[in-house]
Amino acid sequence: MDYVIVGNGGAGLTAARTLRDMDPAASITLVDEETYPCYYRMRLPDYICGWKDRDSVFFVRQEFYQEKGLHLLGGRRVIRVIPESRRVELEDGETLSYDRLLVASGASPRVLPVPGSELDGVVYLRTLDQAEDIIRRGREAKEGVVLGGGLLGVELARCFNELGLRTHYLIREDRFWPQMLDATGSALVEEALAEKGIILRKEEGIGEIRGSEGKVRSVLTSSGEELAADMVGVAIGVTCNLDFLEGSGVETRQGVLVDDRLRTNIEGIYAAGDVAQAYDPVLGEHRVVTSWLNALRQGEAAARNMAGEEVTLGGVVPFNVIVIYGLPVASVGQDEASAPEAEVIRVHIPGERIYRKFLLKDGVLVGANLVGSTADAHALETLVRRQVKVRSLADKVAQRDFDARALVRELGLA
């Protein structure tokens, strides 16, 4: 059996490992534009800040591929998929034949569409090379501006701040991460940022980036104010890497549309990770969910199905966990905007930065936020994804000592 995997991130690497365990004699080839072994993207900010060393970024070492008999084509790009002959074409003209193909090509940062966005000094953070570039620039930069009110935006602001830049953090909305956090949760994060000297500017965007001799010099904000900047960090979302699928017949929307076994509409082709658009049982629609947990879970499920098992994913649920200057924050499932009819339960411990919010529909947990303590995050994700109707859950979650992990064990879901 010949397996080809486009992508060497969490989903691709997990699929390759699973396939090797299931089929010791198979030919398994991974194709990736980067030259590195698989690494944790979520550790890049800590590496930039100097809180973790470079080695800690990697998920596996280079020798892992040799030991497992995996053929990694690093620094190569797939430009076309030809299902009729079960081949993929690389940019250098080489073609690879496959019996089963996994699309795990991930996503790329959304480019800021304003004048000056092409100037030297406008940076994004998705790859290890980009992290290295930010570290290099940070040695000389004095002033920084970051745009993006979500998790990567706040991570970039932390990076700039820790590199010693005077950091203006622009959020186009009225508070930090309003897509998931309510006013109380956002305020706790904003307090932590202010204590570290980050200058938060809400309801503010970038209208233009100005420069001289091809380099960034300042930012003109949406309110007309000019801010000095040697480096501008942009984190306004991602787009799935789909260009090489054009003309293949593989159905795509925001991502590659897959069923609960990670199959596309073309026989023999599967998709997993940040590029896959899988079914969200809570929201009741297919959606792209970009998280490490989902990438690993989808990579394994896809591989098992590629190897002949019949394994269902059980849907995808948004899941994010982050630590912002010592303040843990987690978001699971839906928010109030997407579930306006849900019962909302809030637990805020006065005098402490501990806050919990739960959304319930007909006794089923459909979303949760945790600030200050995220130990229950994975257990809550299980409850949301499995859509278990839990009796008296409303009474339980309101208690200060609520333990979602114990509840999951009690329900036999662990």
Side-chain angles (χ1 to χ4, degrees), residues 8 19 36 38 42 58 171 238 249 287 301 340 400:
N8 183 42
L19 287 169
Y36 305 109
C38 179
M42 64 277 198
F58 293 100
I171 295 176
V238 297
R287 64 189 300 181
R400 178 171 179 156

Side-chain angles (χ1 to χ4, degrees), residues 21-346:
D21 289 343
M22 298 183 68
D23 192 347
S27 169
I28 304 172
T29 301
L30 300 99
V31 186
D32 195 84
E33 291 187 45
E34 295 189 74
T35 59
Y36 305 109
C38 179
Y39 58 86
Y40 300 95
R41 296 190 192 280
M42 64 277 198
R43 286 191 183 170
L44 294 177
D46 282 354
Y47 169 51
I48 294 172
C49 292
W51 298 359
K52 290 188 181 294
D53 61 27
R54 192 175 186 274
D55 284 349
S56 70
V57 169
F58 293 100
F59 189 37
V60 295
R61 305 297 176 192
Q62 191 67 50
E63 52 268 26
F64 172 85
Y65 299 88
Q66 288 79 29
E67 291 169 357
K68 292 291 185 179
L70 306 175
H71 189 201
L72 174 62
L73 298 180
R76 311 282 291 276
R77 189 165 75 91
V78 174
I79 61 168
R80 194 154 64 111
V81 174
I82 311 166
E84 297 80 9
S85 56
R86 297 210 172 199
R87 291 181 298 123
V88 298
E89 181 181 344
L90 308 188
E91 190 173 32
D92 59 12
E94 182 180 356
T95 62
L96 304 173
S97 298
Y98 67 84
D99 295 302
R100 301 286 186 274
L101 173 67
L102 177 65
V103 176
S105 49
S108 297
R110 193 180 301 278
V111 176
L112 180 64
V114 303
S117 61
E118 78 288 347
L119 288 168
D120 183 37
V122 178
V123 300
Y124 299 82
L125 181 55
R126 180 77 183 176
T127 68
L128 179 54
D129 283 344
Q130 289 170 334
E132 301 277 17
D133 182 55
I134 292 171
I135 292 171
R136 178 182 61 80
R137 294 176 184 277
R139 296 190 185 108
E140 297 182 357
K142 303 297 182 185
E143 302 276 353
V145 174
V146 173
L147 174 68
L151 298 187
L152 188 53
V154 76
E155 288 283 52
L156 269 175
R158 175 169 68 95
C159 290
F160 280 24
N161 194 51
E162 289 300 300
L163 288 171
L165 281 67
R166 182 170 181 264
T167 302
H168 288 269
Y169 179 28
L170 278 55
I171 295 176
R172 292 183 288 193
E173 298 84 5
D174 63 352
R175 64 181 191 272
F176 171 71
W177 206 22
Q179 297 85 354
M180 294 310 302
L181 295 179
D182 61 14
T184 302
S186 296
L188 292 173
V189 175
E190 292 167 14
E191 288 172 11
L193 297 176
E195 287 175 2
K196 292 296 182 177
I198 293 173
I199 304 164
L200 182 63
R201 305 171 68 95
K202 294 184 254 186
E203 297 184 278
E204 192 81 278
I206 294 178
E208 180 183 350
I209 301 173
R210 295 175 172 176
S212 63
E213 299 180 348
K215 295 185 177 181
V216 168
R217 290 290 177 261
S218 66
V219 163
L220 185 67
T221 72
S222 55
S223 66
E225 185 174 353
E226 189 167 10
L227 303 174
D230 304 304
M231 187 158 56
V232 177
V234 179
I236 55 173
V238 297
T239 57
C240 295
N241 296 326
L242 302 170
D243 56 331
F244 65 96
L245 293 173
E246 186 175 348
S248 68
V250 173
E251 186 175 359
T252 63
R253 294 178 190 171
Q254 289 80 28
V256 179
L257 200 66
V258 295
D259 65 12
D260 208 35
R261 289 171 57 187
L262 286 306
R263 298 175 297 189
T264 71
N265 62 308
I266 302 292
E267 184 181 355
I269 301 180
Y270 299 71
D274 292 353
V275 76
Q277 190 168 350
Y279 187 70
D280 179 342
V282 178
L283 202 57
E285 64 183 39
H286 284 74
R287 64 189 300 181
V288 175
V289 172
T290 57
S291 79
W292 184 255
L293 175 65
N294 273 301
L296 300 186
R297 186 178 284 156
Q298 290 180 14
E300 180 179 357
R304 292 191 175 281
N305 285 302
M306 291 166 71
E309 288 191 10
E310 294 188 2
V311 176
T312 56
L313 178 67
V316 294
V317 168
F319 178 84
N320 290 285
V321 179
I322 190 174
V323 179
I324 305 168
Y325 277 124
L327 183 67
V329 179
S331 175
V332 180
Q334 290 186 266
D335 64 342
E336 290 177 72
S338 62
E341 73 283 11
E343 175 187 2
V344 182
I345 301 172
R346 295 179 171 86

